[in-house]
Amino acid sequence: MSEFDLIAKYFTRPADCTDLSIGDDAALVRVREGHQLAISTDMLVAGTHFFHDADAYQLGWKSLAVNVSDMAAMGATPKWTTLAIALPEVNEVWLAEFSRGFFACADAFNIDLIGGDTTRGPLTISVQIMGEVPTHQALRRDGAKAGDDIWVSGQLGNAALGLAYWQNKITLEGVLGSAQLEICLSTLHAPQPRVALGLALINLAHSAIDISDGLLADLGHILECAKVGAEIHLKDIPCAAYIKNHLHEKLMQQCVLVGGDDYELCFTAPSNQREMIKQLSQKLDLRLTCIGRVTAEAGLILYGLNNEVLTLASTGYNHFA
Ligand code: ADP
Ligand code: MG
């Protein structure tokens, strides 16, 4: 099968909100009046970001979903994506499943695949996403202000627990039932980007980030960009009962503070928005939890379960550390 047949068969579909899609030297899109183009890229490399035998459907979903999550974290509406993929061989069973997963995510968020590149090489998936955000209203990391509440969506730690289990680092017999294990593994393999939340936060929050590398690392990016500090409380960090009550304390902390891949949003908002944020939580049927506040003084202070100050050796995943 030629490269062009492969693109036509697996990656070409009608594109609704695009002037010119796959097939020319470049795609053409139009951004609505009063909006900026938000652009982000994430690369997934076999052996680094996923296992060589990873399920192709889930990999297709995840490679787009992690990019969609970056749009959510900016308060942007995702609209267009490009896919650059290196394949060791043409495996049509794999390609069919991968593209089905990729387009399932594209459909879930109304995104057009408008171009890309296809080459032979070690399995590598590089996805670019583009979206629209009202001019000057994006949720930037540097927008956090001293006195802001710090919020987290959903629950943290499920993906890290799923990964530890998947890698045979821990056994979870007696801790997790099969339904709970399913939640952990689906968070890890098929994350749900919080686009509706990001859009709603445009008028409520000062800053936002998606939690891909772990809460401490990603909140740390906000603090660094905004030149502020924070106090957060371990007891307030939302996590499942099986993480809070059944894991020993070290593992629990690893999962909720350091573990990445949950793709929830962490955001800061002035305290006079608390009521609006609670209403938003109900409207979206999504848990939103205040875990601390932004301080003028730099540094992140973490209070443990007995309100003692905790220090942690590692704050997140770093590919080159
Ligand atoms: P060029 O030679 O100009 O780089 P290509 O032959 O690489 O063009 O690609 C042909 C068309 O197919 C282009 O519109 C390109 O954007 C698109 N394309 C290539 N690979 C992919 C892919 N994996 N997914 C979606 N579109 C792709
Ligand atoms: Mg090309």
Side-chain angles (χ1 to χ4, degrees):
M1 165 176 277
S2 81
E3 175 191 333
F4 303 102
D5 293 339
L6 186 160
I7 295 163
K9 184 162 177 190
Y10 295 108
F11 296 117
T12 307
R13 293 196 327 176
D16 295 335
C17 48
T18 304
D19 289 342
L20 184 63
S21 188
I22 293 174
D24 212 312
D25 294 309
L28 301 173
V29 302
R30 244 180 292 182
V31 182
R32 272 177 302 163
E33 183 86 30
H35 289 70
Q36 288 171 301
L37 188 63
I39 307 173
S40 179
T41 304
D42 256 319
M43 184 154 71
L44 282 84
V45 178
T48 302
H49 300 95
F50 59 90
F51 304 108
H52 289 270
D53 60 353
D55 179 85
Y57 177 92
Q58 288 178 329
L59 195 56
W61 173 282
K62 185 167 179 173
S63 56
L64 183 53
V66 298
N67 281 276
V68 174
S69 178
D70 285 318
M71 292 289 107
M74 295 301 286
T77 306
K79 296 197 74 166
W80 305 284
T81 184
T82 62
L83 167 66
I85 189 164
L87 300 164
E89 60 182 345
V90 176
N91 174 339
E92 290 208 57
V93 175
W94 190 92
L95 275 167
E97 280 302 286
F98 176 85
S99 68
R100 205 166 63 81
F102 190 93
F103 282 123
C105 185
D107 288 342
F109 296 96
N110 281 317
I111 299 167
D112 287 344
L113 175 62
I114 60 169
D117 203 17
T118 307
T119 71
R120 190 181 290 274
L123 183 58
T124 305
I125 301 152
S126 182
V127 174
Q128 183 175 54
I129 192 146
M130 286 147 283
E132 286 178 337
V133 63
T135 303
H136 300 316
Q137 290 187 50
L139 299 169
R140 296 164 48 144
R141 295 177 183 183
D142 62 6
K145 295 199 173 42
D148 279 0
D149 292 327
I150 301 171
W151 296 81
V152 164
S153 67
Q155 295 181 328
L156 299 185
N158 284 328
L161 195 58
L163 181 65
Y165 170 82
W166 197 254
Q167 292 178 318
N168 290 317
K169 287 192 178 156
I170 52 170
T171 53
L172 294 172
E173 263 112 65
V175 176
L176 290 199
S178 59
Q180 296 164 333
L181 184 58
E182 186 49 44
I183 292 173
C184 291
L185 292 176
S186 75
T187 307
L188 175 67
H189 295 307
Q192 299 292 325
R194 301 303 188 189
V195 174
L197 173 61
L199 292 179
L201 287 178
I202 278 210
N203 297 311
L204 302 178
H206 281 153
S207 70
I209 192 166
D210 63 327
I211 303 176
S212 56
D213 294 332
L215 175 65
L216 293 185
D218 290 318
L219 174 59
H221 294 315
I222 287 186
L223 304 183
E224 206 170 300
C225 288
K227 300 190 170 57
V228 290
E231 295 173 355
I232 60 171
H233 298 270
L234 185 59
K235 69 170 174 22
D236 294 331
I237 297 175
C239 66
Y242 48 81
I243 292 185
K244 190 160 265 174
N245 303 330
H246 297 296
L247 299 186
H248 63 80
E249 205 173 324
K250 265 250 138 51
L251 183 57
M252 185 272 243
Q253 288 183 18
Q254 278 290 320
C255 286
V256 304
L257 298 170
V258 184
D261 270 334
D262 285 311
Y263 293 97
E264 295 294 346
L265 294 187
C266 173
F267 58 96
T268 78
S271 54
N272 62 13
Q273 298 288 11
R274 273 178 206 170
E275 202 41 50
M276 296 298 285
I277 292 171
K278 277 184 195 144
Q279 286 175 22
L280 178 63
S281 167
Q282 285 188 346
K283 189 174 145 212
L284 297 177
D285 192 20
L286 174 64
R287 195 161 152 187
L288 300 175
T289 311
C290 180
I291 62 164
R293 63 185 190 91
V294 178
T295 57
E297 198 158 319
L300 175 59
I301 300 173
L302 169 68
Y303 293 98
L305 296 181
N306 302 309
N307 268 336
E308 74 284 19
V309 173
L310 293 179
T311 44
L312 281 138
S314 159
T315 57
Y317 193 78
N318 178 328
H319 284 275
F320 296 104

mmCIF file of all heavy atoms in Angstrom, residues 3-4 7 11 21-26 83-85 113-118, ligand 1:
data_model
loop_
_atom_site.group_PDB
_atom_site.id
_atom_site.type_symbol
_atom_site.label_atom_id
_atom_site.label_comp_id
_atom_site.label_asym_id
_atom_site.label_seq_id
_atom_site.Cartn_x
_atom_site.Cartn_y
_atom_site.Cartn_z
ATOM 1 N N GLU A 3 1.944 5.256 0.408
ATOM 2 C CA GLU A 3 1.727 6.271 1.435
ATOM 3 C C GLU A 3 0.414 7.026 1.166
ATOM 4 O O GLU A 3 -0.360 7.303 2.082
ATOM 5 C CB GLU A 3 2.934 7.215 1.380
ATOM 6 C CG GLU A 3 2.894 8.413 2.271
ATOM 7 C CD GLU A 3 4.024 9.387 1.904
ATOM 8 O OE1 GLU A 3 5.074 8.922 1.376
ATOM 9 O OE2 GLU A 3 3.860 10.591 2.120
ATOM 10 N N PHE A 4 0.148 7.297 -0.128
ATOM 11 C CA PHE A 4 -1.036 8.097 -0.462
ATOM 12 C C PHE A 4 -2.327 7.302 -0.263
ATOM 13 O O PHE A 4 -3.327 7.838 0.209
ATOM 14 C CB PHE A 4 -0.921 8.632 -1.892
ATOM 15 C CG PHE A 4 0.337 9.438 -2.065
ATOM 16 C CD1 PHE A 4 1.453 8.898 -2.695
ATOM 17 C CD2 PHE A 4 0.429 10.712 -1.519
ATOM 18 C CE1 PHE A 4 2.625 9.630 -2.794
ATOM 19 C CE2 PHE A 4 1.604 11.447 -1.619
ATOM 20 C CZ PHE A 4 2.711 10.906 -2.262
ATOM 21 N N ILE A 7 -2.966 7.219 3.474
ATOM 22 C CA ILE A 7 -3.557 8.475 3.983
ATOM 23 C C ILE A 7 -5.031 8.554 3.585
ATOM 24 O O ILE A 7 -5.890 8.879 4.400
ATOM 25 C CB ILE A 7 -2.772 9.692 3.441
ATOM 26 C CG1 ILE A 7 -1.340 9.679 3.983
ATOM 27 C CG2 ILE A 7 -3.463 10.999 3.818
ATOM 28 C CD1 ILE A 7 -0.378 10.571 3.216
ATOM 29 N N PHE A 11 -6.863 8.191 6.995
ATOM 30 C CA PHE A 11 -6.789 9.506 7.644
ATOM 31 C C PHE A 11 -7.543 10.622 6.932
ATOM 32 O O PHE A 11 -7.411 11.778 7.310
ATOM 33 C CB PHE A 11 -5.317 9.892 7.849
ATOM 34 C CG PHE A 11 -4.596 8.961 8.786
ATOM 35 C CD1 PHE A 11 -3.532 8.187 8.352
ATOM 36 C CD2 PHE A 11 -5.022 8.837 10.104
ATOM 37 C CE1 PHE A 11 -2.880 7.317 9.218
ATOM 38 C CE2 PHE A 11 -4.377 7.955 10.976
ATOM 39 C CZ PHE A 11 -3.304 7.200 10.529
ATOM 40 N N SER A 21 -8.742 21.094 3.141
ATOM 41 C CA SER A 21 -8.229 20.073 4.063
ATOM 42 C C SER A 21 -7.153 19.227 3.387
ATOM 43 O O SER A 21 -6.459 19.685 2.471
ATOM 44 C CB SER A 21 -9.401 19.239 4.578
ATOM 45 O OG SER A 21 -8.975 18.367 5.593
ATOM 46 N N ILE A 22 -7.020 17.976 3.780
ATOM 47 C CA ILE A 22 -5.968 17.077 3.286
ATOM 48 C C ILE A 22 -5.960 17.004 1.761
ATOM 49 O O ILE A 22 -7.018 16.934 1.141
ATOM 50 C CB ILE A 22 -6.183 15.668 3.880
ATOM 51 C CG1 ILE A 22 -5.944 15.707 5.392
ATOM 52 C CG2 ILE A 22 -5.275 14.641 3.216
ATOM 53 C CD1 ILE A 22 -6.263 14.423 6.100
ATOM 54 N N GLY A 23 -4.758 17.026 1.163
ATOM 55 C CA GLY A 23 -4.643 16.823 -0.268
ATOM 56 C C GLY A 23 -3.872 17.900 -1.002
ATOM 57 O O GLY A 23 -3.425 17.690 -2.128
ATOM 58 N N ASP A 24 -3.690 19.052 -0.391
ATOM 59 C CA ASP A 24 -2.883 20.088 -1.036
ATOM 60 C C ASP A 24 -1.593 20.237 -0.234
ATOM 61 O O ASP A 24 -1.311 19.471 0.680
ATOM 62 C CB ASP A 24 -3.673 21.403 -1.095
ATOM 63 C CG ASP A 24 -3.308 22.214 -2.333
ATOM 64 O OD1 ASP A 24 -2.090 22.375 -2.585
ATOM 65 O OD2 ASP A 24 -4.232 22.674 -3.048
ATOM 66 N N ASP A 25 -0.787 21.234 -0.592
ATOM 67 C CA ASP A 25 0.479 21.414 0.118
ATOM 68 C C ASP A 25 0.274 21.962 1.521
ATOM 69 O O ASP A 25 1.132 21.797 2.386
ATOM 70 C CB ASP A 25 1.400 22.344 -0.680
ATOM 71 C CG ASP A 25 1.803 21.691 -1.998
ATOM 72 O OD1 ASP A 25 2.254 20.533 -1.949
ATOM 73 O OD2 ASP A 25 1.632 22.304 -3.058
ATOM 74 N N ALA A 26 -0.823 22.625 1.722
ATOM 75 C CA ALA A 26 -1.141 23.123 3.056
ATOM 76 C C ALA A 26 -2.656 23.202 3.198
ATOM 77 O O ALA A 26 -3.374 23.289 2.193
ATOM 78 C CB ALA A 26 -0.524 24.512 3.271
ATOM 79 N N LEU A 83 -1.529 15.394 11.986
ATOM 80 C CA LEU A 83 -0.959 14.154 12.528
ATOM 81 C C LEU A 83 0.284 13.763 11.732
ATOM 82 O O LEU A 83 0.196 13.431 10.549
ATOM 83 C CB LEU A 83 -2.004 13.034 12.412
ATOM 84 C CG LEU A 83 -1.533 11.601 12.633
ATOM 85 C CD1 LEU A 83 -1.078 11.388 14.068
ATOM 86 C CD2 LEU A 83 -2.648 10.617 12.282
ATOM 87 N N ALA A 84 1.447 13.825 12.378
ATOM 88 C CA ALA A 84 2.672 13.324 11.746
ATOM 89 C C ALA A 84 2.990 11.987 12.393
ATOM 90 O O ALA A 84 3.108 11.896 13.614
ATOM 91 C CB ALA A 84 3.812 14.314 11.954
ATOM 92 N N ILE A 85 3.101 10.952 11.565
ATOM 93 C CA ILE A 85 3.259 9.617 12.133
ATOM 94 C C ILE A 85 4.382 8.859 11.430
ATOM 95 O O ILE A 85 4.464 8.857 10.202
ATOM 96 C CB ILE A 85 1.904 8.855 12.082
ATOM 97 C CG1 ILE A 85 1.977 7.543 12.851
ATOM 98 C CG2 ILE A 85 1.411 8.634 10.670
ATOM 99 C CD1 ILE A 85 0.604 6.957 13.172
ATOM 100 N N LEU A 113 -9.353 16.705 11.187
ATOM 101 C CA LEU A 113 -7.966 16.348 10.860
ATOM 102 C C LEU A 113 -7.683 16.930 9.477
ATOM 103 O O LEU A 113 -8.313 16.543 8.492
ATOM 104 C CB LEU A 113 -7.790 14.829 10.850
ATOM 105 C CG LEU A 113 -6.405 14.325 10.410
ATOM 106 C CD1 LEU A 113 -5.314 14.803 11.357
ATOM 107 C CD2 LEU A 113 -6.382 12.793 10.316
ATOM 108 N N ILE A 114 -6.772 17.890 9.408
ATOM 109 C CA ILE A 114 -6.618 18.670 8.168
ATOM 110 C C ILE A 114 -5.272 18.473 7.487
ATOM 111 O O ILE A 114 -4.986 19.134 6.484
ATOM 112 C CB ILE A 114 -6.828 20.181 8.436
ATOM 113 C CG1 ILE A 114 -5.800 20.700 9.444
ATOM 114 C CG2 ILE A 114 -8.250 20.430 8.921
ATOM 115 C CD1 ILE A 114 -5.783 22.217 9.546
ATOM 116 N N GLY A 115 -4.424 17.567 7.996
ATOM 117 C CA GLY A 115 -3.150 17.340 7.316
ATOM 118 C C GLY A 115 -2.207 16.559 8.192
ATOM 119 O O GLY A 115 -2.580 16.113 9.288
ATOM 120 N N GLY A 116 -0.985 16.388 7.696
ATOM 121 C CA GLY A 116 -0.013 15.644 8.474
ATOM 122 C C GLY A 116 1.142 15.195 7.620
ATOM 123 O O GLY A 116 1.411 15.755 6.551
ATOM 124 N N ASP A 117 1.823 14.176 8.092
ATOM 125 C CA ASP A 117 2.935 13.609 7.347
ATOM 126 C C ASP A 117 3.036 12.143 7.744
ATOM 127 O O ASP A 117 2.753 11.782 8.893
ATOM 128 C CB ASP A 117 4.232 14.369 7.679
ATOM 129 C CG ASP A 117 5.267 14.220 6.582
ATOM 130 O OD1 ASP A 117 4.896 13.827 5.444
ATOM 131 O OD2 ASP A 117 6.452 14.484 6.845
ATOM 132 N N THR A 118 3.421 11.297 6.798
ATOM 133 C CA THR A 118 3.499 9.862 7.065
ATOM 134 C C THR A 118 4.837 9.347 6.552
ATOM 135 O O THR A 118 5.155 9.540 5.384
ATOM 136 C CB THR A 118 2.340 9.123 6.347
ATOM 137 O OG1 THR A 118 1.103 9.744 6.707
ATOM 138 C CG2 THR A 118 2.309 7.659 6.720
HETATM 139 P P1 ADP B 1 3.924 16.915 0.966
HETATM 140 O O1 ADP B 1 4.684 16.139 -0.048
HETATM 141 O O2 ADP B 1 3.459 18.258 0.485
HETATM 142 O O3 ADP B 1 4.578 16.934 2.302
HETATM 143 P P2 ADP B 1 2.442 14.605 1.595
HETATM 144 O O4 ADP B 1 2.574 13.738 0.399
HETATM 145 O O5 ADP B 1 3.339 14.341 2.769
HETATM 146 O O6 ADP B 1 2.543 16.117 1.145
HETATM 147 O O7 ADP B 1 0.949 14.531 2.105
HETATM 148 C C1 ADP B 1 -0.139 14.632 1.218
HETATM 149 C C2 ADP B 1 -1.335 15.184 1.918
HETATM 150 O O8 ADP B 1 -1.732 14.281 2.945
HETATM 151 C C3 ADP B 1 -1.076 16.515 2.628
HETATM 152 O O9 ADP B 1 -2.261 17.288 2.541
HETATM 153 C C4 ADP B 1 -0.777 16.118 4.046
HETATM 154 O O10 ADP B 1 -1.126 17.158 4.929
HETATM 155 C C5 ADP B 1 -1.690 14.907 4.207
HETATM 156 N N1 ADP B 1 -1.196 13.897 5.172
HETATM 157 C C6 ADP B 1 -0.038 13.198 5.131
HETATM 158 N N2 ADP B 1 0.052 12.320 6.149
HETATM 159 C C7 ADP B 1 -1.080 12.482 6.873
HETATM 160 C C8 ADP B 1 -1.590 11.882 8.065
HETATM 161 N N3 ADP B 1 -0.926 10.923 8.731
HETATM 162 N N4 ADP B 1 -2.772 12.310 8.516
HETATM 163 C C9 ADP B 1 -3.457 13.266 7.876
HETATM 164 N N5 ADP B 1 -3.051 13.866 6.748
HETATM 165 C C10 ADP B 1 -1.872 13.482 6.256
#
